[in-house]
Amino acid sequence: MAFRTLDDKLLVEFINATPVLSAKLGLGGHSDELEIKEVGDGNLNFVYIIKGPSGSLVIKQAVPYVRCIGESWPMTKERAYFETETLLEHGRLCPDHVPEVYHFDRELCVIAMRYVEPPHIILRKGLIRGIEYPLLAEHISEYLARTLFYTSLLYLNTADHKAAVAKYCGNVELCRLTEQVVFSDPYKVSEYNRWTSPYLDDDAKAVREDHILKLEVAQLKSKFCERAQALVHGDFHTGSVMVSVDSTQVIDPEFSFYGPMGFDIGAFIGNLILAYFSQDGHSENSSDRQLYKEWILNTISDTWNLFYKKFTSLWDKHSDGPGEAYLPAIYNDPQLRLLVKQNYMEDLLHDSLGFGAAKMIRRIVGVAHVEDFESIVDLSKRAECERKALRFAVNLLKKRREFKDIKEVISAISSS
């Protein structure tokens, strides 16, 4: 079937023509028993929940433009292929936290996958409501440790790693979009930028005129473009995670590519920091969200500390494996190995803080904002929350190398 944007009628035709999907839904030739609901609230794609007599699934279609802008901003449909490949690879490495793919149609750019059913909700929405998720840090740290370690040169030989890097170079258009919206547009006058005006006019201007900030952002952009460290999700914010009290599922890796590990870690931590600064805008009085803010800070700390422990444990487990980053014949002294590990993890923390801060800045003065702030109806109150987050992010980006551990970061957030 040649590419067409699917509607309900075409969806039914597609499902009927795909045995694995009709069987999953339990159709038995009765397509009138299907319940179809379009639920895509992201920036790029159409997403449908399909329910049949004995099963359910999600169908996601990539269209050749940025959905939130319209056909005036073209965008490759091939992103669906890279999303599928990453769901399969990350699902192999961390099956408990990645939804299963049932079918992929490359011509239609359609992915059919597990429906992550209620009570799962998008994590960002849970954070806005003030819901605690006791296993979130445990699950996210597991996902990050396994997907990043096993796709890096700490585990892979250089031939396999370069082959994987070459494959993902095809997702260049999504990478260029990230370069534009994260590392370029917020720091210049752009038709796509927006902010809570007039309250943040001076703040947005200050970002555009901060020379030290621009120098630091240039370094981060260079790492983003040049450092093929591991297979990263590429857009790992709190809208790309579905949660319940005891389950966490990572979705939407269409921006995936071989890049710096800190880009994923930082994106998640940065979005938790945004959630932290948004809480005062959702509170009924000055103290009713205080305990929840402390939970967010604990979750940030736990996520990094658990990731550190799990990632380095995998490194130790496979120290004599095929990975060619640090050959055992060279790094055969215990003290040297410890020093290598400490330097590696310190650099990774600083990368994560820098990328996280850049993600925060772009969500306040760039094109795509976050519901954490956008759902605060009182504009002056919203701007006050955003200003605190923006000023913290700018300072964090410029001074990220001064932080020796996550505890110092938490202290800085608390005192902002």
Side-chain angles (χ1 to χ4, degrees), residues 37-49 58-61 66-69 120-126 128-129 194 235 237-242 251-252 254 363 368-372 374:
K37 183 180 181 182
E38 208 280 312
V39 295
D41 60 357
N43 295 321
L44 296 181
N45 307 295
F46 289 90
V47 181
Y48 300 88
I49 296 172
V58 162
I59 285 181
K60 181 175 181 178
Q61 184 178 37
V66 177
R67 180 180 178 181
C68 69
I69 301 294
H120 289 88
I121 61 171
I122 294 294
L123 173 58
R124 192 183 304 282
K125 295 183 181 297
I128 292 169
R129 297 176 191 174
R194 62 185 182 89
D235 196 28
H237 52 74
T238 51
S240 296
V241 181
M242 298 196 70
I251 60 173
D252 296 347
E254 62 200 323
R363 292 295 191 178
H369 290 207
V370 290
E371 189 180 351
D372 309 67
E374 297 287 283

Side-chain angles (χ1 to χ4, degrees), residues 400-413:
R400 63 190 182 280
R401 298 178 196 85
E402 298 178 12
F403 293 94
K404 298 303 180 185
D405 55 40
I406 198 68
K407 187 185 298 185
E408 293 183 1
V409 180
I410 299 303
S411 178
I413 299 170

Side-chain angles (χ1 to χ4, degrees), residues 257-275:
F257 72 111
Y258 267 76
M261 296 180 185
F263 195 71
D264 270 5
I265 302 165
F268 186 74
I269 288 175
N271 273 262
L272 287 181
I273 299 173
L274 289 176

Side-chain angles (χ1 to χ4, degrees), residues 129-310:
R129 297 176 191 174
I131 303 172
E132 294 186 13
Y133 297 99
L135 297 178
L136 181 63
E138 178 71 39
H139 291 168
I140 292 298
S141 62
E142 182 78 7
Y143 168 80
L144 287 169
R146 295 186 65 82
T147 58
L148 296 177
F149 176 82
Y150 283 115
T151 60
S152 77
L153 279 170
L154 296 175
Y155 180 76
L156 297 175
N157 63 51
T158 54
D160 291 342
H161 186 264
K162 286 184 184 298
V165 171
K167 171 182 172 180
Y168 276 88
C169 282
N171 206 17
V172 60
E173 198 166 330
L174 273 292
C175 289
R176 285 183 58 79
L177 176 59
T178 300
E179 293 163 28
Q180 176 182 341
V181 301
V182 176
F183 302 110
S184 297
D185 282 357
Y187 307 96
K188 65 177 185 176
V189 175
S190 168
E191 64 180 302
Y192 299 113
N193 287 345
R194 62 185 182 89
W195 53 84
T196 306
S197 184
Y199 303 96
L200 297 185
D201 288 359
D202 290 342
D203 301 86
K205 182 181 179 183
V207 168
R208 297 194 302 270
E209 295 179 350
D210 190 328
H211 292 179
I212 301 300
L213 180 64
K214 289 180 178 180
L215 289 172
E216 294 294 340
V217 167
Q219 291 186 19
L220 290 169
K221 182 178 180 180
S222 177
K223 282 192 174 185
F224 177 86
C225 296
E226 298 165 0
R227 193 170 192 189
Q229 203 171 20
L231 177 57
V232 298
H233 179 287
D235 196 28
F236 192 45
H237 52 74
T238 51
S240 296
V241 181
M242 298 196 70
V243 288
S244 66
V245 173
D246 58 1
S247 172
T248 304
Q249 298 292 312
V250 178
I251 60 173
D252 296 347
E254 62 200 323
F255 282 79
S256 53
F257 72 111
Y258 267 76
M261 296 180 185
F263 195 71
D264 270 5
I265 302 165
F268 186 74
I269 288 175
N271 273 262
L272 287 181
I273 299 173
L274 289 176
Y276 172 88
F277 282 109
S278 76
Q279 293 304 310
D280 289 346
H282 300 295
S283 63
E284 298 296 328
N285 58 64
S286 59
S287 62
D288 69 337
R289 289 279 181 132
Q290 188 56 43
L291 289 176
Y292 192 65
K293 289 168 73 174
E294 292 175 13
W295 176 83
I296 293 175
L297 294 180
N298 288 335
T299 300
I300 294 169
S301 179
D302 290 347
T303 298
W304 171 259
N305 288 330
L306 287 168
F307 165 78
Y308 190 112
K309 179 181 178 181
K310 294 174 183 181

